Amino acid sequence: MVHFQQIALSNGLFLGQILLASARLNAQSLAMVLKIREQLEIWRNDEKIVALLVRGEGERAFCAGGDIRALYHAMSDADFLHEGDDFFRHEYDLCRELHRFPKPVMAWGNGIVMGGGWGIFAAASHRIVTESSVLAMPEISIGLFPDVGASFWLQQLEGNLGRLLALTGSRLNATDALAFGAAEFALPADTFAALMGVLQDLPWSGQGKQDAELASGALSALSAVWPCVLPASVWLPLADEVERICAGDDLLTICERIQSYQGDAPALRLAAELQAAGSPTSIFLTWEMALRAQALSYDEVVEMEWLGARNCLRHGDFHEGVRAKLIDRDDQPNWSPKKLSQVKLAEIESFFATA
């Protein structure tokens, strides 16, 4: 489910709140995505709505992604494949609409921010983390690829960390999200009610650019007034090592460096394990998506990813990956092929086919 609320501001204008609410860590269903898109259209044209706030219900998650179980059932019956197509189409368009929304969009990224949840978070103009935030794009573990625009925005992170995250499914904590550019502001999780009070009293104007600057100034000031006790950085001490491991333009060489890591950093050891367990086809597809995205506009990236996702629904490892991870939960996916060295480039090209 998703809930909408118009929160009255002190000057007679309103803040539009989108509350993601589902039993599976606020994961998005097609019905939720369609409702949000419909509401965005209403609020875009409502002069009394000056800004949006997106958050997740409860304390565990902002949003853990899409409803992958529903996609599995769509993949299991050819008569329902169109439902999977529709989900990806509307999910990607939702992120595009948030990315372009003419009014400030604030995302309260408390707890788990993964997959499609990170897509929404990344599309927001004002991204807020808390001490409990965990960000990840773990799609290679289910035979998909980092999507919802991630082929574009993961590459915007500082250094080569975005490349490592995409190729392994490794996680960011709040400190690293701030340090590498995945978020701009940090506030303690227990200050949300106080934040709302501050937002209600701000002198909103209804002018998008001016209100965006107003929100940035307020969130920066609150970050100083309400310092958030954040976890120690995982990736800053490893930035040079990540840069070295992920340097170059040869995927197999980079993957070999990742999987042969023998140092003492637990995060890099885990990255090697995650990649070794992921779909070889997905790893290659992730790499190719990122390469192509470098020469594309944001809209073109979204269209490319939709083609990729549509083809993942029909062939490749996606069905098997979801089965092993979420349906049977045996964590024993039968990837095809099983090794990176066995992936054929012609097969990767097929994921970009329009027919």
Side-chain angles (χ1 to χ4, degrees), residues 88-339:
F88 282 122
R89 174 77 278 169
H90 289 288
E91 182 191 31
Y92 296 179
D93 283 345
L94 169 61
C95 290
R96 176 162 43 190
E97 288 162 6
L98 287 169
H99 179 73
R100 289 178 162 177
F101 204 71
K103 306 170 186 183
V105 179
M106 295 170 282
W108 178 255
N110 187 53
I112 295 171
V113 183
M114 291 187 180
W118 196 349
I120 290 176
F121 188 76
S125 59
H126 295 69
R127 299 168 292 180
I128 308 161
V129 290
T130 74
E131 64 273 20
S132 70
S133 298
V134 178
L135 289 70
M137 295 298 291
E139 281 77 9
I140 67 162
S141 69
I142 56 169
L144 192 57
F145 59 91
D147 58 344
V148 286
S151 300
F152 171 80
W153 48 255
L154 273 181
Q155 297 187 72
Q156 309 306 308
L157 300 185
E158 295 293 330
N160 271 331
L161 184 60
R163 177 177 281 188
L164 183 78
L165 298 182
L167 294 175
T168 66
S170 296
R171 299 181 174 193
L172 286 183
N173 65 24
T175 302
D176 288 319
L178 293 167
F180 289 89
E184 295 84 28
F185 310 100
L187 293 171
D190 62 6
T191 62
F192 180 77
L195 168 64
M196 294 304 295
V198 171
L199 294 178
Q200 287 177 277
D201 288 337
L202 289 178
W204 301 96
S205 67
Q207 301 298 314
K209 183 177 180 181
Q210 183 175 327
D211 285 340
E213 293 173 353
L214 178 71
S216 293
L219 291 169
S220 294
L222 292 176
S223 296
V225 174
W226 301 332
C228 188
V229 180
L230 296 174
S233 171
V234 172
W235 295 107
L236 277 175
L238 301 172
D240 290 344
E241 185 76 350
V242 170
E243 191 77 29
R244 181 193 67 79
I245 289 173
C246 293
D249 56 7
D250 186 273
L251 174 62
L252 290 178
T253 298
I254 292 170
C255 291
E256 173 60 26
R257 291 190 201 125
I258 292 171
Q259 295 187 26
S260 63
Y261 176 76
Q262 297 296 316
D264 298 327
L268 286 173
R269 287 184 175 272
L270 178 58
E273 294 174 9
L274 290 170
Q275 187 179 81
S279 160
T281 299
S282 288
I283 292 168
F284 261 87
L285 181 57
T286 295
W287 175 262
E288 185 63 24
M289 287 278 182
L291 285 182
R292 297 188 183 204
Q294 293 175 11
L296 301 178
S297 67
Y298 183 85
D299 281 358
E300 289 169 335
V301 168
V302 171
E303 292 306 309
M304 175 186 69
E305 289 185 345
W306 183 71
L307 274 180
R310 188 176 185 277
N311 284 312
C312 282
L313 289 168
R314 287 160 172 78
H315 57 94
D317 285 338
F318 191 23
H319 186 273
E320 173 62 11
V322 178
R323 180 207 63 76
K325 184 66 69 174
L326 296 176
I327 306 302
D328 297 336
R329 297 190 176 186
D330 56 23
D331 272 331
Q332 296 294 321
N334 184 25
W335 301 131
S336 178
K338 298 181 182 300
K339 297 180 180 180

Side-chain angles (χ1 to χ4, degrees), residues 29-39 86 90 94:
S29 65
L30 176 58
M32 289 171 64
V33 171
L34 289 172
K35 287 180 180 179
I36 296 171
R37 292 193 65 198
E38 180 180 351
Q39 191 64 49
D86 289 346
H90 289 288
L94 169 61

Side-chain angles (χ1 to χ4, degrees), residues 6-15 48 50 196-205 214:
Q6 295 188 181
I7 299 172
L9 306 174
S10 60
N11 60 1
L13 299 173
F14 293 88
L15 174 71
K48 290 188 175 181
V50 296
M196 294 304 295
V198 171
L199 294 178
Q200 287 177 277
D201 288 337
L202 289 178
W204 301 96
S205 67
L214 178 71

